[in-house]
């Protein structure tokens, strides 16, 4: 046997580069980046198509998620069951999707990032809106390709009768690229799409007259219209998304009712508690999460004599109540990844709809014409019914009947097939008036479809009618507020964030300092009252000595002078809180001291007065 195998020597680096490039292309185009036309990744598209194909639609009862996951994995998506179930759950979560595509029954997680129940416990079906994603898919409107095992066909894209990519947004990380498209309000996007269909030369500013900006399911506040405009113009941009909050003066508290999109609520509350400790926000009494299942309510309680406005300004100024949204409108356009502007995304969807609608109308026209041909055959047969029946009696089998009809009466293949398959009782009882009426209706419908196919404006009107139908059924109020101007926050005096209380402060010559609450100090006094030391001095290192030992307020400042002629200003609340019988911590964590530098004098400062000198 002759060996026909051909081996080509190639450097390992070239082989690796080629293999990696193929891998990167597959990840970008067939896993992580959505199609600009239907806004879906392959796993999402396969789930929705399979559920539609299996009849798991909104009008039918829900089905076990285990059944859905198993069928999708076995027929369309040969990957792990967890990736399929995660995608299924994600499409049902109202805090992640502007318009959920899956109607879920059971525990599908929470805004606290709790996991969904296992798929053997939950059930699902397509949401009513999802049916617009697959509408007319059975009319040869989209390209179908073989599945991984060549046993079935799957769509490369769904008809998607509404702009799903902009409405629900998406995120994904591929090789060397990533995408993040925020969700938008369905009504605004549909209005903008209709306007774009009717006005091909409309500008971005015209479109932004309808789409004010992203609309996140969790609400929030955006205060940067310039960043939004730049994002829609270039497809890339960043902006801050702030919490929705207000101050309850009666309860002396800050109430947060919406958290930034993408944040896990329990982690958000934890970060606020952490900032309370690290920033020494003593005037915050406690932070309580009073949220219900569908409503967010986080209460920051402020101490009685403190102002919630100061705490609010501080938290907003430090970015504790916001999240940075970094957007990249990367999508697959005509088979290639492309960073697209807002108008390009709309145009891609509109072009797809025109193509889908054209194919759907051509399919309907073909169906009508085929039926019209059959109706004409019935009517022709009716006029010679007795003669035809007599000849049918002498024919042998179906093929004989068809051959007789075609040869003797010039019936077409389709007409003779329909007549041959019709039961005799129906053939003899045919209602000629009903046939005439059906023929008139078919001819009228064929003419209507032909007029639509020949007139682009009429075709566009059908697109607009469908979009209006979606808007009427699924519109919702905007949840994210877009401000006209950027928010400003007043700088806050640090003392207003700190609870005012009297403490004992001790500072030594070597630079060790601490503050102790009066309660802790008095406990030390009580424990040492029998000793000979009536002052109950704090613990210090051997060879060190006290420079300052006094009861002061946490709002007081301390002016420190050193042996090298330097000075520093330190607020009492900045000192480490320690027990009275502990040594405290070195001031190097607050000010910079040289190794041979000592603290020689400390003054208590309530305020700096002009013209007053220290000597």
């Amino acid at each position: 046997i002759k060996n026909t195998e051909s081996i080509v020597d190639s450097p390992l680096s070239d082989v690796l580069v080629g293999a990696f490039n193929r891998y990167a292309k597959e990840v970008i185009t067939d896993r992580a980046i959505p199609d600009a036309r239907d806004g879906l990744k392959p796993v999402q598209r396969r789930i929705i198509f399979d559920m539609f194909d299996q009849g798991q639609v909104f009008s039918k009862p829900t089905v076990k998620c285990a059944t859905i996951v198993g069928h999708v994995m076995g027929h369309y998506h040969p990957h792990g069951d967890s990736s399929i179930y995660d995608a299924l759950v994600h499409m049902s979560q109202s805090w992640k999707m502007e318009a959920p595509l899956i109607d879920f029954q059971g525990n599908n997680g929470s805004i606290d990032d709790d996991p969904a129940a296992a798929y053997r416990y939950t059930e699902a079906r397509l949401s009513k809106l999802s049916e617009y994603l697959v509408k007319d898919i059975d009319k040869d409107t989209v390209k179908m390709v073989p599945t991984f095992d060549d046993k079935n066909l799957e769509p490369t894209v769904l008809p998607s009768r509404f702009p799903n990519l902009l409405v629900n947004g998406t995120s994904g990380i591929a090789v060397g690229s990533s995408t993040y498209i925020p969700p938008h309000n369905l009504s605004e996007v549909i209005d903008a799409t209709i306007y774009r269909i009717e006005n091909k030369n409309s500008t971005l500013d015209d479109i932004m007259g309808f789409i004010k900006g992203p609309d996140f399911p969790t609400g929030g506040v955006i205060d940067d219209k310039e960043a939004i405009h730049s994002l829609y113009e270039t497809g890339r941009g960043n902006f801050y998304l702030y919490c929705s909050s207000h101050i309850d003066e009666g309860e002396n508290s800050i109430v947060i009712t919406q958290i930034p999109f993408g944040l896990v609520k329990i982690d958000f509350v934890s970060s606020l508690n952490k900032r309370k400790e690290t920033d020494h926000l003593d005037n915050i009494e406690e932070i309580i999460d009073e949220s219900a299942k569908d409503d967010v309510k986080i209460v920051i309680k402020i101490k009685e004599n403190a102002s919630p406005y100061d705490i609010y300004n501080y938290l907003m100024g430090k970015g504790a109540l916001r999240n940075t949204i970094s957007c990249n409108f990367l999508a697959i356009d005509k088979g290639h990844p492309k960073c697209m502007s807002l108008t390009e995304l709309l145009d891609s969807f509109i072009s797809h709809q025109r193509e889908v609608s054209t194919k759907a109308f051509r399919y309907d026209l073909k169906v009508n014409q085929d039926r019209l041909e059959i109706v004409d055959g019935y009517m022709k047969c009716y006029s010679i019914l007795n003669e035809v029946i007599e000849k049918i009696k002498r024919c042998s089998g179906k093929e004989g009947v068809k051959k007789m009809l075609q040869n003797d009466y010039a019936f077409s293949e389709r007409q003779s097939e329909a007549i041959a398959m019709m039961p005799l009782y129906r053939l003899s009882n045919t209602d000629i008036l009903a046939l005439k009426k059906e023929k008139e209706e078919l001819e009228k419908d064929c003419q209507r479809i032909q007029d639509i196919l020949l007139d682009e404006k009429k075709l566009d009107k059908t697109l607009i009618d469908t979009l209006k139908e979606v808007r009427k059924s699924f519109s919702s109020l905007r949840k994210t507020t877009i401000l006209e101007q950027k928010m400003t926050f007043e700088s806050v005096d640090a003392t207003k964030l700190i609870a005012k209380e009297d403490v004992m402060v001790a500072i030594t010559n070597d630079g060790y300092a601490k503050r102790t609450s009066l309660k802790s100090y008095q406990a030390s006094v009580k424990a040492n009252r029998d000793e000979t030391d009536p002052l109950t001095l704090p613990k210090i290192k051997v060879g060190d000595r006290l420079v300052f030992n006094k009861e002061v307020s946490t709002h007081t400042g301390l002016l420190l002078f050193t042996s090298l002629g330097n000075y520093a200003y330190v607020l009492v609340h900045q000192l480490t809180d320690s027990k009275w019988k502990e040594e405290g911590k070195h001031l190097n964590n607050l000010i910079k001291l040289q190794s041979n530098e000592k603290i020689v004098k400390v003054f208590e400062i309530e305020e700096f007065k002009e013209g007053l000198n220290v000597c």
Side-chain angles (χ1 to χ4, degrees), residues 121-167:
Y121 300 121
T122 57
E123 298 181 0
R125 60 185 175 186
L126 291 179
S127 70
K128 195 171 183 180
L129 178 62
S130 284
E131 295 179 17
Y132 283 92
L133 288 175
V134 292
K135 184 179 180 182
D136 296 332
I137 197 172
D138 53 350
K139 296 182 179 181
D140 299 332
T141 53
V142 294
K143 183 181 179 181
M144 304 291 286
V145 296
T147 56
F148 67 94
D149 58 1
D150 293 334
K151 292 182 178 179
N152 299 285
L153 293 175
E154 64 173 322
T156 57
V157 67
L158 296 185
S160 186
R161 294 307 203 162
F162 70 97
N164 178 59
L165 182 58
L166 280 171
V167 171

Side-chain angles (χ1 to χ4, degrees), residues 55-64 103 105 123-126:
Q56 296 153 5
V57 295
F58 189 75
S59 58
K60 301 291 180 65
T62 54
V63 177
K64 278 286 186 183
D103 183 36
Q105 184 172 317
E123 298 181 0
R125 60 185 175 186
L126 291 179

Side-chain angles (χ1 to χ4, degrees), residues 320-348:
L321 303 182
R322 74 183 184 210
N323 188 27
T324 302
I325 305 295
S326 299
C327 301
N328 184 25
F329 285 9
L330 182 69
I332 304 300
D333 181 46
K334 298 177 182 176
H336 301 283
K338 180 182 178 182
C339 186
M340 307 174 73
S341 66
L342 177 62
T343 50
E344 286 177 326
L345 286 175
L346 291 175
D347 288 344
S348 177

Side-chain angles (χ1 to χ4, degrees), residues 175-322:
V175 178
S177 60
S178 65
T179 182
Y180 185 84
I181 301 175
H184 292 76
N185 184 267
L186 183 142
S187 300
E188 292 180 1
V189 172
I190 287 181
D191 287 341
T193 305
I194 292 173
Y195 184 82
R196 183 69 174 176
I197 292 172
E198 295 174 337
N199 301 272
K200 297 179 181 179
N201 297 322
S202 56
T203 64
L204 176 60
D205 290 334
D206 295 331
I207 299 300
M208 289 189 67
F210 299 95
I211 302 177
K212 310 298 181 183
D215 186 28
F216 296 96
T218 54
V221 178
I222 301 173
D223 69 340
D224 196 343
K225 294 193 74 172
E226 291 183 4
I228 299 300
H229 188 280
S230 176
L231 167 64
Y232 288 160
E233 185 175 30
T234 65
R236 292 187 177 92
N238 305 309
F239 56 87
Y240 289 135
L241 179 63
Y242 292 89
C243 292
S244 290
S245 55
H246 64 273
I247 292 175
D248 186 341
E249 294 183 349
E251 297 293 331
N252 202 45
S253 61
I254 302 168
V255 181
I256 298 171
T257 54
Q258 294 174 339
I259 65 172
F261 182 72
L263 294 183
V264 177
K265 178 165 63 65
I266 192 170
D267 292 341
F268 176 74
V269 175
S270 178
S271 69
L272 289 178
N273 277 305
K274 186 176 180 180
R275 184 174 287 273
K276 172 182 179 294
E277 299 299 326
T278 56
D279 292 7
H280 305 291
L281 304 179
D282 299 337
N283 278 340
I284 295 180
E285 186 173 335
E286 60 180 333
I287 302 172
I288 304 174
D289 185 2
E290 298 180 357
S291 304
K293 179 175 174 58
D294 298 321
D295 297 307
V296 171
K297 185 179 181 183
I298 301 168
V299 181
I300 304 175
K301 292 189 175 182
I302 311 301
K303 289 184 177 178
E304 186 176 350
N305 296 323
S307 169
Y309 292 95
D310 293 329
I311 299 293
Y312 175 79
N313 278 324
Y314 179 83
L315 292 175
M316 290 291 274
K318 292 294 183 180
L321 303 182
R322 74 183 184 210

Side-chain angles (χ1 to χ4, degrees), residues 25 45 48 55 57 89 138 156 186 209 217-218 243 249 335 344 356 376 379 385 409 485 487-488 556 560 609 612 614:
K25 180 178 181 296
R45 186 179 301 115
I48 291 173
V57 295
V89 170
D138 53 350
T156 57
L186 183 142
T218 54
C243 292
E249 294 183 349
E344 286 177 326
V356 166
D376 284 338
M379 294 177 68
L385 185 58
Y409 301 103
Q485 296 181 339
M487 292 188 286
T488 57
T556 301
L560 291 71
K609 295 181 180 179
L612 183 63
V614 177

